Amino acid sequence: MSACGISVESELVARIGQQRFEVWFGGSVRLRRIECGIVVESGDAFVLDWIRKTFRSELEAVARSICGPEAGVLFRCDDAESVKPPPAAAEARPEQAAPPKPAESGEPIDVAAKSVSGRRRGPQLAREELAREERPAAEEVAREEPARNPASPRSGRKQGPRFGPFIAGESNRMAIAAIDLMVQRPGEISPLLIQGPSGVGKTHLLEHCCHRARERHQGISALFLSAEQFTTSFLQALHGGGLPAFRRNCRNVDLLVIDDLQFFLGKRATTVEFQQTIDALQRQARQLVVSCDRDIADLGDLGDDLVQRLSGGMSARIAPPDAEVRRGIVLAIAERKRLALPEDVVEFVVTHMTRTARELAGAVNRLEATSHMLGVPVTRGLAEEALADLVRASVRSVRLADIEKAVCSAFGLETGSLQSSRRAKRVNHPRMLAMFLARKHTPAALTEIGSYFGRRSHSTVIAAHKTVASWVSSRSQLQIADARWDADEAIRRVEDLLRTGS
């Protein structure tokens, strides 16, 4: 029996969620109910093909729920139709199924196949061969907001950042200043790279960037994608014949934001497409903002051409949150949850959760759940008991091996090089830096530190500590690997990795 009182839209929302429905079905896509099922219509072949591949099972389930067990789904793009009801439905109601356009053909028309037929040759085939090395890593595009004309129905749908206002402090001041400058004069400092370790708020800042741009410039078109979503959408378009539409979506927006650029490493076809996207945006004086969990110097595997394009814009760093930022994050989360946190509880959380913003959010969530479960307000005693295991995990002891790993990871050194007897500057300077940090962050004795880093004496460790300290005070530079680094910047980079456990 058909569920006559249920609409197609409400039934689909119940199955895929409101956010995904708004992204893919809230604009040019139309849903209609017919006697033998439902019709999905759109003027964009790329969008329609994505929907057919991604949501077909859910749509068929909706059709069966509303119109009966033999119902099917019809996909229609302008004059092209793709009718794929279950075999039983086709046999039971042959007169109700929409016939294919070609009179002699008994097969349903596949929209994707029709859009590509007769055109897959030459460079297109070469690009597809290259793209076969890359497997789409995600079928769901959760934050994607397709490029649009300012007058389209989707314009202005996204009203603001998901996580509230971005908390400013010393650790992110440069990145926020760069975003503010970009919002005031979009296109002048493009591309803008926001870099920093995982969990410091890069994604949040990019969402804040889109929100600010829409507030300041009425009608501006902005597209926010993770690098994973860019890759998935590109490969779907490449194989499904929707490449022109994909390129229009990415290259005709006023502001393109790509999160987690490091995801492109090792993906040659996507890297080439992204490089061409950068060129297209720059020719039109449009703005590109990207984020990455490492410095430009560590993105060499993306290719020299792409690295040079990124270097031609501006790079701004976000460090792990300092005490001021951590306090602001805790208070903002608590306010949004309408959770009363006494000052001593805030101080306890800020003091003991020092690595990432996600860690702070998890602590506030734990306090809220514990308070709700026990039916009592949050107190310092309750916080100490409820967060005991999180505090132990956060305040992890630093070992000499952790120092070595962080230094090698930060500067691209081979594992074991700091324990060798080599005295070249490219190894000796980072070894001295490691000894300095070992004295600062571990309880190891001088002899233990010297023995670990190449069987040096305790006097060598003392000398290394004094040398690095003098570098910091005089703002000198260190020769590390094949590059020179400001001493304080080099130390801060290693400490970021130690703090986040990377």
Side-chain angles (χ1 to χ4, degrees):
M1 179 181 296
S2 64
C4 298
I6 303 176
S7 69
V8 176
E9 290 81 0
S10 61
E11 183 71 10
L12 186 57
V13 167
R15 293 178 182 275
I16 69 173
Q18 185 68 38
Q19 185 180 38
R20 295 179 75 194
F21 179 85
E22 288 180 356
V23 168
W24 289 107
F25 297 90
S28 61
V29 179
R30 299 172 298 281
L31 300 173
R32 288 193 295 114
R33 176 183 169 184
I34 58 177
E35 186 176 354
C36 63
I38 60 177
V39 180
V40 183
E41 298 175 310
S42 175
D44 191 325
F46 169 66
V47 172
L48 188 68
D49 191 46
W50 176 281
I51 289 173
R52 183 175 60 83
K53 292 178 180 178
T54 308
F55 299 107
R56 179 171 175 173
S57 60
E58 288 88 349
L59 288 164
E60 289 177 344
V62 170
R64 290 193 295 269
S65 173
I66 294 179
C67 302
E70 296 180 347
V73 181
L74 168 66
F75 295 92
R76 175 175 295 156
C77 179
D78 292 332
D79 294 331
E81 299 180 357
S82 174
V83 186
K84 305 215 174 181
E91 294 172 6
R93 300 189 182 95
E95 74 282 359
Q96 294 172 350
K101 285 293 178 181
E104 289 77 18
S105 173
E107 295 296 325
I109 297 175
D110 189 308
V111 173
K114 180 176 180 180
S115 62
V116 186
S117 177
R119 292 185 296 161
R120 287 185 179 174
R121 55 175 65 93
Q124 175 75 359
L125 275 175
R127 292 293 302 279
E128 292 192 8
E129 285 294 329
L130 189 60
R132 288 194 186 100
E133 300 175 5
E134 306 173 15
R135 297 178 59 87
E139 291 298 324
E140 178 179 339
V141 183
R143 290 195 304 272
E144 182 170 353
E145 185 177 0
R148 59 192 186 276
N149 185 293
S152 73
R154 294 188 187 182
S155 180
R157 175 178 58 79
K158 195 170 184 180
Q159 297 300 319
R162 291 183 299 163
F163 305 114
F166 194 81
I167 307 301
E170 194 62 37
S171 58
N172 55 34
R173 200 173 303 283
M174 175 58 72
I176 293 177
I179 291 293
D180 287 343
L181 183 61
M182 184 281 298
V183 169
Q184 292 174 25
R185 304 198 303 268
E188 290 191 17
I189 51 169
S190 182
L192 171 59
L193 173 64
I194 304 297
Q195 65 93 7
S198 176
V200 297
K202 298 187 298 296
T203 300
H204 187 184
L205 182 58
L206 295 190
E207 293 184 332
H208 174 76
C209 157
C210 290
H211 178 58
R212 287 282 313 282
R214 291 190 183 99
E215 278 188 334
R216 185 176 180 89
H217 306 283
Q218 293 298 318
I220 191 173
S221 58
L223 176 61
F224 186 114
L225 294 172
S226 70
E228 180 183 31
Q229 291 165 358
F230 182 95
T231 301
T232 301
S233 299
F234 165 60
L235 295 180
Q236 290 279 359
L238 190 63
H239 294 296
L243 196 56
F246 169 80
R247 286 174 172 166
R248 285 195 302 272
N249 285 346
C250 291
R251 301 180 186 184
N252 291 343
V253 290
D254 300 311
L255 170 62
L256 176 62
V257 180
I258 304 292
D259 196 16
D260 292 328
L261 186 68
Q262 69 277 357
F263 185 81
F264 288 157
L265 291 170
K267 298 174 174 59
R268 291 185 294 162
T270 303
T271 300
V272 170
E273 177 67 24
F274 182 62
Q275 180 175 310
Q276 294 173 349
T277 299
I278 294 177
D279 292 342
L281 292 171
Q282 289 184 330
R283 282 194 298 269
Q284 303 173 76
R286 300 177 188 270
Q287 180 69 48
L288 172 66
V289 181
V290 298
S291 76
C292 187
D293 67 359
R294 60 203 72 183
D295 289 337
I296 294 179
D298 298 325
L299 296 172
D301 289 344
L302 291 178
D304 291 340
D305 289 342
L306 181 53
V307 170
Q308 289 174 8
R309 284 165 172 78
L310 294 173
S311 301
M314 177 179 178
S315 175
R317 183 176 179 278
I318 301 182
D322 54 37
E324 177 187 359
V325 173
R326 294 199 300 272
R327 176 180 294 277
I329 292 172
V330 170
L331 292 175
I333 296 174
E335 180 180 1
R336 192 164 65 249
K337 291 176 173 292
R338 298 182 181 178
L339 178 66
L341 292 184
E343 178 59 31
D344 58 346
V345 173
V346 174
E347 187 63 30
F348 176 79
V349 174
V350 168
T351 302
H352 292 86
M353 303 290 171
T354 60
R355 293 190 295 181
T356 68
R358 295 190 184 103
E359 189 179 61
L360 295 168
V364 177
N365 289 338
R366 175 76 68 87
L367 292 176
E368 180 187 32
T370 304
S371 173
H372 178 76
M373 177 182 67
L374 300 178
V376 297
V378 178
T379 63
R380 174 65 181 258
L382 183 144
E384 291 177 353
E385 182 176 352
L387 303 179
D389 58 328
L390 298 183
V391 169
R392 285 194 297 270
S394 178
V395 188
R396 56 187 291 270
S397 59
V398 178
R399 305 166 300 166
L400 294 177
D402 297 326
I403 299 287
E404 179 194 17
K405 177 183 175 182
V407 172
C408 290
S409 176
F411 307 112
L413 299 172
E414 296 179 0
T415 302
S417 59
L418 301 186
Q419 296 179 322
S420 69
S421 59
R422 295 163 58 189
R423 293 182 176 274
K425 281 186 177 181
R426 67 185 308 274
V427 175
N428 194 40
H429 282 182
R431 183 190 293 120
M432 295 168 69
L433 178 63
M435 292 179 180
F436 174 88
L437 293 170
R439 288 201 68 185
K440 181 178 179 180
H441 293 287
T442 75
L446 294 174
T447 53
E448 184 181 358
I449 296 173
S451 177
Y452 185 88
F453 291 105
R455 299 181 180 179
R456 265 86 179 165
S457 66
H458 74 283
S459 60
T460 301
V461 178
I462 294 175
H465 187 275
K466 290 181 178 178
T467 300
V468 175
S470 68
W471 285 339
V472 173
S473 61
S474 62
R475 299 182 178 274
S476 300
Q477 291 189 326
L478 290 71
Q479 181 67 40
I480 300 180
D482 297 322
R484 296 187 67 82
W485 292 80
D486 291 336
D488 55 349
E489 175 64 23
I491 291 172
R492 188 161 56 245
R493 180 171 185 174
V494 177
E495 289 180 333
D496 286 351
L497 295 177
L498 289 173
R499 189 179 290 112
T500 58
S502 302

